[in-house]
Amino acid sequence: MFKATLKSLLSRKLRLVLSALAVVLGVMFVSGSFVLTDTLQRSFTDLFSSAFANVDVSVSPKAEKGKQPEPLTPQAIADVKSVPGVASAVGDVQGSARPIGKNGKVITTSGSPRFGFNWTGTGQEKIRDGKAPAAENEVAVGGFLATTGGFKVGDDIALLTLEPKKTFKITGIYEYAGGRDSLGGELSVAFTEPVAQQLLLGKKDVFSGITVTAAQGTSDDALRDAVAAKLGSGYDVKTGAALAKEQADQINEGLKFFNYVLLGFAGIALFVGIFIILNTFSIIVAQRTRELALLRSMGASRGQVIGSVVLEALVIGLIASIVGLGAGVGVGALLATIFSSLGGSSLQLAGIGVPMSAIISSFAVGMIVTVVAAVMPALRASRIAPVAAMREAATPDRPLTKITITGAAVAALGGTSLGFGFNQASLPLIFGGILVAFVGVALLTPILSKPMVSLIGRLLSWSMPGLLGRRNSARNPRRTAITAAALMVGISLITGVSVVLTSATKSIEKLASGQLQTDLIISGEGQVEGQPATFQRDVLTKVEKTDGVKSAFGWASDGVLQGEDQLFAVAVTDVNALKEMFALKPKSGAISPLRDDQLGLPEDLATEKGWTVGSTITLQLAKGEPRTYTVGFVWAKSQVLQGAMVLPESASKDFRSDQIGQAFAQVQPGANVADVQKRVEPLFADNPEITVQDRSGFVKQTTSQFDTVLLMIQILLALAILIAVLGVINTLALSVIERTRELGLLRAIGMRRAQVMRMITVESVVISVFGAVLGLAVGLALGVATVQALKDQGISELGFPWATMAQYLVVAAVVGVVAAILPAIRAARLNVLDAIAYE
Amino acid sequence: MVRTKPTEGNRQVSASDGVAARAVDVWKSYGSGDAAVTALAGVSVDLEKSRFTAIMGPSGSGKSTLMHCLAGLDDVTSGEVWVGDTKVTGLKDRGLTELRRDKVGFIFQQFNLLPTLTAEENITLPLAIGGKKVDRDWFDVVVDTVGLRDRLTHRPTQLSGGQQQRVACARALVSRPDVVFADEPTGNLDSQSGAEVLGFLQRSAREFGQTIVMVTHDANAASYADRVIFLKDGHIVRELLSPSADEVLDTMKHLDSVVAVPHV
Ligand SMILES: Nc1ncnc2c1ncn2[C@@H]1O[C@H](COP(=O)(O)OP(=O)(O)OP(=O)(O)O)[C@@H](O)[C@H]1O
Ligand SMILES: [Mg+2]
């Protein structure tokens, strides 16, 4: 039996390759994800241990809850120095510093930090060119910043810090051990200590931390304990090794999430793979009916028949896992290399490794997926009565009642789980529900395929070959359905996501055109090291005075602590302007300028907390002592300003930054917005991170990130779709083999090669378009459900990405044509006489 | 009788000559070297128009090969084949395809029909492939002759073997080809259904003037033909005109003693 199986397997090399390919691709994705994240994790661990190589113990201020940590004073350094066993204690100053390139634009990185620090001469940085900064207007820059920005010693460089743009002279370029430009793609710049303190911490004579080295014979741990004892509470004292691990762990936590995302997409690809393998085995078993029945008539038991099919699956799974693992290591290594050199930088890769997790998951996934997919066809094969050997091999059409009822039940189960998932905001329930719903819809597909295929087919079957192609695709509803369902999965996920994103865009657009009465929006492009970009108050004053501006207001924003709750607050410069431009309506009290001890609340926050006009609320701001405010007004639910409380302008001086984060302006009636915009823009010449936009520009900027999200998801789902395309090719190729005799007959009675190819192509396009239509329908349903669930999160409008959906339909048709190429050529090349004689 | 010399010029094979298909010193061998098998060893034959010709001979004598070569399904090793005015030898795939579509009809032993098409669609398939209109009157005549009027909307799986073969006959006739080739069309049928099919073929030749060439093993089947050609070892060795079944049987029995004379 074993021998017979292997023989039959080897005699069908093409089938072997086609069915194994789906598993290979899925396994490749899985093992590639593991290899990539493992390599990156080890590289980051190496990076941080070299970053803290010179640090034995590090001291930093401990932050009180809700408050910004107070920087360290020189006294703390003196205290540390007095601890026995301390060889040196150096005060560090570090903070955000963004360099401006020679083109006037802020230089960005792909996630690596941009910071400035005080040049102490005791760090790891070694001057490569020139000399260390010594004067107020001098800086040294890291090698990586020098190469990225094209800076040389003697050049000027403009920097954004807590203060607006300031220009410095580059006196030196430094590097790290081994002549490296950076430790991990970061852009850094070194100031003299007083300048660093002023620009990075905003105060003279303060430090952000202390780097301590141990004297000979003192262990890091002992030193840490001694320093901590001396300083008392209020300080975090850690060894350099612990700090390195902490930071590496933080990055690795992020990478783990990244890995889960990749594995999620790998899972989708494998899920699609199951459809393909299931189909392949079903077709192979159907074609081997005679062979299997012959084995049965010779006395093989049902178990042996099942065993022979499962064995075939195991062999395919094993080979596919090995090949997939190998390909995955290659892909993982390639991606790691690309990743490490992103932006021309420089994460030193710690050699490519193959983690145990990659090997185990590859084999587990590859074998299990293949065997699971083969079990159903194997069971069916075992039921073949021996007498069938003598009869026609073609299996009669089994009724679809059972599968349809099961499908409806499974789809309902998936839908219910999805509903609960949305209700409880539980991701596992949501994803589980989606997968189960897919299985349900896939089971329903055969019953749908009859009317759908004939409908789609009618559009394509204007000629005889077209008609034959359409009939062929309707011939085996299960086969067509599973092939189409595989394509459905990828397309419906993309469609669902784009429905949500289109709805979000539409909601934002509606908001901007309806409730937002501002003409100009002045804001930072995204976040800078976790903080929004800001600008100084006097610039806002200049905006107000600009010719054509009717009124303008802005706010500083920060988190505030109320008891245990972290709330979000904006300190508004002009409440009247806010009320007018955001069209705020009072719920209770009057929306009017606030006294220093008053605040305004949005309706939902007030309801949630049970606050009304006159309630007193105690808030802890980032600086200073807790303060008590009285509720001055509550405004009615608004889409524009929700979730944030309004504080008087005076509160901003206790925010982490009292600068303006966002500002809004209205132009005078009759004034041209574009002209006013042109006059306002130059005011921000020193704040290149700030942009001045009109309403439509603002909407575009806000929604442009959606396109990036969509593109990423499309790329990640491309594999699932590729596997589905393989499925179409597979089904067609096997059908061509199965219908060899018919093809021979058609050729014998005068069908041209081109007509044969057209016939196969129509079949392929019908299957693909059917899959796409299913995918679009399921995707629409998923998207609409998600939008409904997110109604309270601000997605108030339902938008349909018709153009995108039409594109997917076209892509599916093209995919159908492409998938048909090889099978069609094979069919057209058949020798007529051989085909007629084919058994 | 059997031609021994190729005729010069093309004129003789034109329709006016009353020849629907012609083989001129056709040789066909399979394989090469020691393993080479000569299936046809210099066969020359004229198949007259409007005649029902049967080809008989022992298994392996080259009957199917001759038919395939005549129909443009297979190429010849040497010699020439003509169908109507068309020289088949040397045609490329496209030309052969058009020949099969427009000038030739086929009836195979089994699996003649496409399972996805109804009986009517199967019958008109060659016309549909060629983008030609169905001549409804002729279609009705053919359908009534084979007695399939009430089965037109049925799929092949809903038809008996005999009915399926009659659909195949109708298909072969509906495009009015120069020749209909049938390779053991009754091989899979019981004698009753076989007789129906054979009777129909005979009538097509007599009433509609359809040229028919049929390969058969069955002396009874051959007795329906106007002319019976006997093949042995790739040679044409005997020929009978309008024979009875007994005459055919008798000839078959004595074929063993006939020594094929190779052509020079
Ligand atoms: N494709 C082929 N390759 C090699 N030899 C072949 C091929 N087709 C036919 N032959 C050989 O050519 C000879 C004639 O075969 P053919 O099929 O024409 O015989 P036949 O008269 O139709 O026999 P039967 O009555 O059994 O159908 C045989 O010896 C056969 O083995
Ligand atoms: Mg034969």
Side-chain angles (χ1 to χ4, degrees):
Chain A
M1 202 66 190
F2 181 76
K3 253 191 174 163
T5 303
L6 283 188
K7 270 224 168 106
S8 101
L9 199 59
L10 283 177
S11 67
R12 297 175 165 86
K13 286 199 200 68
L14 179 72
R15 276 173 212 186
L16 186 74
V17 169
L18 282 173
S19 50
L21 210 51
V23 193
V24 168
L25 287 176
V27 170
M28 180 185 87
F29 206 143
V30 171
S31 59
S33 308
F34 276 114
V35 169
L36 173 63
T37 39
D38 169 78
T39 307
L40 292 181
Q41 279 183 358
R42 282 182 296 113
S43 310
F44 278 113
T45 306
D46 288 0
L47 165 68
F48 287 110
S49 53
S50 62
F52 290 98
N54 283 12
V55 181
D56 289 338
V57 167
S58 160
V59 178
S60 58
K62 199 183 260 172
E64 261 180 70
K65 203 155 193 261
K67 282 179 82 171
Q68 201 177 11
E70 285 296 326
L72 299 173
T73 58
Q75 182 56 45
I77 302 176
D79 286 349
V80 172
K81 274 187 178 150
S82 71
V83 174
V86 170
S88 73
V90 180
D92 299 317
V93 178
Q94 192 169 336
S96 168
R98 288 92 64 199
I100 297 171
K102 291 192 162 164
N103 58 2
K105 294 242 163 65
V106 180
I107 304 175
T108 55
T109 63
S110 43
S112 306
R114 294 171 292 177
F115 62 90
F117 63 96
N118 57 330
W119 182 268
T120 59
T122 57
Q124 303 184 60
E125 299 82 9
K126 298 281 168 278
I127 291 289
R128 173 195 291 170
D129 272 336
K131 56 185 184 52
E136 230 174 59
N137 66 338
E138 292 178 354
V139 291
V141 299
F144 185 50
L145 172 52
T147 23
T148 315
F151 293 111
K152 296 186 301 295
V153 172
D155 283 358
D156 282 346
I157 183 169
L159 294 162
L160 296 171
T161 54
L162 287 181
E163 294 184 14
K165 190 164 102 179
K166 265 205 152 110
T167 306
F168 297 84
K169 184 147 280 337
I170 297 175
T171 57
I173 293 170
Y174 52 85
E175 64 182 24
Y176 296 86
R180 297 183 56 193
D181 274 349
S182 75
L183 288 172
E186 76 281 5
L187 297 175
S188 66
V189 47
F191 302 91
T192 59
E193 192 159 289
V195 174
Q197 287 166 334
Q198 186 60 47
L199 295 188
L200 306 177
L201 302 178
K203 246 191 210 171
K204 287 263 175 254
D205 241 5
V206 289
F207 297 91
S208 43
I210 308 170
T211 297
V212 189
T213 55
Q216 205 96 49
T218 307
S219 78
D220 292 357
D221 287 349
L223 186 67
R224 177 196 58 202
D225 295 343
V227 169
K230 172 78 188 178
L231 290 174
S233 68
Y235 297 90
D236 274 330
V237 185
K238 287 172 185 156
T239 62
L243 214 54
K245 186 171 174 329
E246 208 172 82
Q247 301 216 356
D249 283 353
Q250 221 168 42
I251 292 250
N252 289 349
E253 208 44 50
L255 283 175
K256 230 183 239 162
F257 177 74
F258 176 61
N259 193 23
Y260 288 144
V261 171
L262 288 182
L263 288 179
F265 282 96
I268 296 170
L270 280 163
F271 181 68
V272 172
I274 290 186
F275 286 65
I276 306 306
I277 301 165
L278 177 76
N279 219 13
T280 310
F281 272 95
S282 300
I283 301 175
I284 290 178
V285 164
Q287 293 179 354
R288 276 174 58 194
T289 303
R290 281 190 199 206
E291 185 186 323
L292 292 171
L294 196 65
L295 287 171
R296 290 272 279 140
S297 65
M298 292 186 319
S301 70
R302 279 188 65 173
Q304 276 174 314
V305 170
I306 297 176
S308 108
V309 175
V310 170
L311 180 67
E312 186 166 335
L314 274 175
V315 173
I316 291 179
L318 184 69
I319 296 172
S321 301
I322 294 172
V323 178
L325 175 62
V329 172
V331 168
L334 183 73
L335 288 180
T337 313
I338 293 173
F339 193 93
S340 69
S341 57
L342 268 186
S345 87
S346 52
L347 174 66
Q348 194 131 330
L349 279 189
I352 305 296
V354 184
M356 222 32 215
S357 54
I359 299 175
I360 293 173
S361 58
S362 292
F363 283 98
V365 154
M367 312 273 281
I368 291 173
V369 161
T370 321
V371 172
V372 162
V375 161
M376 280 261 298
L379 284 177
R380 203 176 313 136
S382 73
R383 290 201 206 103
I384 295 166
V387 285
M390 309 311 142
R391 275 198 251 118
E392 241 310 81
T395 37
D397 248 3
R398 283 162 297 137
L400 298 172
T401 332
K402 231 161 91 189
I403 195 173
T404 306
I405 294 171
T406 318
V410 172
L413 180 72
T416 314
S417 159
L418 193 62
F420 273 118
F422 279 135
N423 216 1
Q424 331 240 297
S426 144
L427 276 185
L429 271 183
I430 293 178
F431 287 131
I434 292 178
L435 283 194
V436 173
F438 278 151
V439 173
V441 174
L443 291 174
L444 286 174
T445 328
I447 199 97
L448 291 177
S449 85
K450 268 214 169 103
M452 294 276 289
V453 159
S454 82
L455 193 76
I456 299 165
R458 245 164 253 281
L459 301 174
L460 294 165
S461 51
W462 60 85
S463 65
M464 195 61 199
L467 177 76
L468 288 170
R470 171 186 126 202
R471 293 271 173 86
N472 280 339
S473 47
R475 198 160 165 175
N476 200 323
R478 281 159 209 264
R479 195 183 291 179
T480 301
I482 295 179
T483 313
L487 198 59
M488 163 195 80
V489 173
I491 291 188
S492 64
L493 287 175
I494 302 184
T495 308
V497 170
S498 50
V499 167
V500 174
L501 294 182
T502 311
S503 301
T505 306
K506 208 171 155 198
S507 309
I508 292 171
E509 274 163 1
K510 171 139 185 263
L511 215 65
S513 62
Q515 279 147 296
L516 205 56
Q517 299 297 319
T518 83
D519 297 307
L520 294 178
I521 296 139
I522 301 161
S523 62
E525 293 175 73
Q527 306 244 306
V528 179
E529 263 87 70
Q531 288 281 320
T534 56
F535 58 94
Q536 317 82 272
R537 277 160 196 277
D538 56 331
V539 182
L540 182 58
T541 318
K542 283 183 202 153
V543 172
E544 273 174 326
K545 289 189 184 133
T546 306
D547 193 18
V549 172
K550 184 177 151 222
S551 63
F553 79 97
W555 62 50
S557 62
D558 201 0
V560 299
L561 207 61
Q562 187 269 321
E564 289 291 299
D565 289 348
Q566 179 80 29
L567 302 175
F568 187 69
V570 291
V572 176
T573 60
D574 183 346
V575 172
N576 280 332
L578 165 76
K579 176 179 146 192
E580 192 189 335
M581 287 193 230
F582 281 17
L584 294 186
K585 302 265 174 303
K587 173 83 183 166
S588 55
I591 304 180
S592 54
L594 294 162
R595 289 197 319 263
D596 282 354
D597 61 348
Q598 280 185 316
L599 53 70
L601 290 174
E603 184 186 342
D604 38 5
L605 184 61
T607 320
E608 183 195 327
K609 294 278 193 178
W611 290 328
T612 50
V613 170
S615 303
T616 54
I617 302 168
T618 305
L619 299 176
Q620 172 66 63
L621 307 190
K623 296 177 198 161
E625 293 303 311
R627 293 206 216 175
T628 304
Y629 290 91
T630 311
V631 178
F633 57 82
V634 176
W635 71 85
K637 213 167 158 53
S638 154
Q639 297 277 342
V640 193
L641 189 60
Q642 49 181 349
M645 58 171 69
V646 171
L647 293 182
E649 187 177 5
S650 60
S652 65
K653 65 178 189 301
D654 280 342
F655 281 5
R656 254 172 294 183
S657 161
D658 71 338
Q659 299 200 341
I660 306 287
Q662 249 184 329
F664 307 85
Q666 233 174 4
V667 305
Q668 246 139 24
N672 182 317
V673 177
D675 292 345
V676 178
Q677 185 179 356
K678 272 197 205 99
R679 283 197 288 276
V680 170
E681 268 165 351
L683 300 174
F684 294 91
D686 284 350
N687 300 78
E689 290 156 327
I690 303 290
T691 53
V692 180
Q693 288 168 311
D694 61 7
R695 239 182 297 170
S696 67
F698 175 70
V699 169
K700 233 178 249 153
Q701 186 201 320
T702 319
T703 54
S704 66
Q705 49 191 345
F706 297 158
D707 295 339
T708 320
V709 171
L710 192 62
L711 185 69
M712 286 298 296
I713 291 178
Q714 281 173 337
I715 291 173
L716 286 167
L717 282 176
L719 189 72
I721 291 181
L722 178 69
I723 289 181
V725 174
L726 281 179
V728 179
I729 299 180
N730 207 354
T731 301
L732 289 174
L734 293 172
S735 298
V736 164
I737 295 174
E738 200 174 63
R739 299 180 197 145
T740 300
R741 191 181 261 293
E742 272 171 61
L743 289 164
L745 178 70
L746 280 168
R747 293 278 287 137
I749 62 171
M751 190 178 251
R752 276 185 281 113
R753 285 198 165 130
Q755 287 178 310
V756 171
M757 293 177 77
R758 198 181 323 148
M759 177 176 87
I760 308 260
T761 306
V762 165
E763 180 174 356
S764 176
V765 171
V766 167
I767 295 177
S768 308
V769 171
F770 177 38
V773 169
L774 274 179
L776 293 175
V778 174
L780 274 184
L782 281 179
V784 170
T786 313
V787 169
Q788 291 300 332
L790 292 177
K791 239 187 175 132
D792 291 339
Q793 262 75 57
I795 305 191
S796 55
E797 297 295 302
L798 190 56
F800 297 107
W802 297 123
T804 319
M805 288 167 65
Q807 275 172 23
Y808 294 151
L809 208 57
V810 172
V811 167
V814 173
V815 156
V817 172
V818 173
I821 292 176
L822 285 177
I825 289 179
R826 199 189 153 103
R829 288 238 179 101
L830 280 178
N831 177 295
V832 184
L833 275 182
D834 292 350
I836 293 170
Y838 182 81
E839 277 297 329
Chain B
M1 262 306 282
V2 180
R3 290 182 176 273
T4 52
K5 284 267 182 320
T7 354
E8 324 82 73
N10 303 350
R11 264 176 18 83
Q12 288 92 330
V13 270
S14 68
S16 56
D17 287 68
V19 175
R22 163 177 288 178
V24 184
D25 194 23
V26 165
W27 290 73
K28 174 74 189 177
S29 10
Y30 293 104
S32 57
D34 289 346
V37 178
T38 302
L40 295 177
V43 172
S44 296
V45 65
D46 281 357
L47 299 165
E48 292 91 350
K49 276 189 142 190
S50 311
R51 281 242 227 164
F52 182 5
T53 309
I55 302 177
M56 288 205 74
S59 188
S61 58
K63 303 183 294 291
S64 296
T65 307
L66 175 60
M67 203 193 83
H68 292 154
C69 289
L70 284 169
L73 280 173
D74 209 351
D75 52 356
V76 300
T77 308
S78 74
E80 275 181 13
V81 172
W82 294 77
V83 169
D85 297 334
T86 313
K87 184 175 168 190
V88 177
T89 318
L91 281 181
K92 294 272 181 303
D93 181 74
R94 201 188 174 89
L96 286 174
T97 303
E98 273 160 17
L99 174 89
R100 293 198 298 264
R101 195 181 68 203
D102 301 334
K103 303 232 152 103
V104 169
F106 282 105
I107 306 165
F108 297 106
Q109 187 171 351
Q110 52 183 347
F111 306 118
N112 262 304
L113 308 178
L114 286 196
T116 51
L117 300 183
T118 62
E120 174 165 358
E121 285 166 334
N122 264 296
I123 293 173
T124 55
L125 187 58
L127 297 172
I129 288 173
K132 293 203 191 82
K133 271 190 104 142
V134 179
D135 175 347
R136 283 327 292 194
D137 295 340
W138 175 236
F139 175 83
D140 288 340
V141 170
V142 170
V143 166
D144 289 333
T145 316
V146 293
L148 283 167
R149 177 62 61 193
D150 53 344
R151 298 282 170 184
L152 285 180
T153 56
H154 290 205
R155 294 279 165 103
T157 45
Q158 299 165 313
L159 298 174
S160 73
Q163 287 165 338
Q164 289 184 29
Q165 285 306 78
R166 281 189 276 152
V167 174
C169 292
R171 183 191 62 209
L173 286 172
V174 83
S175 57
R176 298 188 206 253
D178 288 3
V179 199
V180 169
F181 291 103
D183 195 351
E184 303 189 41
T186 56
N188 270 19
L189 302 180
D190 62 52
S191 54
Q192 169 68 30
S193 315
E196 279 170 23
V197 169
L198 289 164
F200 170 67
L201 291 177
Q202 192 177 47
R203 279 178 60 202
S204 326
R206 296 203 177 140
E207 290 174 23
F208 313 135
Q210 176 64 57
T211 314
I212 292 172
V213 179
M214 173 181 78
V215 168
T216 183
H217 270 120
D218 178 6
N220 189 44
S223 69
Y224 282 81
D226 303 321
R227 178 187 179 199
V228 182
I229 293 169
F230 292 87
L231 267 181
K232 193 187 170 209
D233 298 334
H235 300 276
I236 293 181
V237 289
R238 283 288 300 275
E239 178 177 336
L240 297 173
L241 292 177
S242 305
S244 67
D246 288 340
E247 280 178 279
V248 175
L249 258 184
D250 203 47
T251 314
M252 282 295 283
K253 267 186 209 139
H254 293 100
L255 272 190
D256 289 347
S257 56
V258 177
V259 181
V261 187
H263 299 283
V264 187

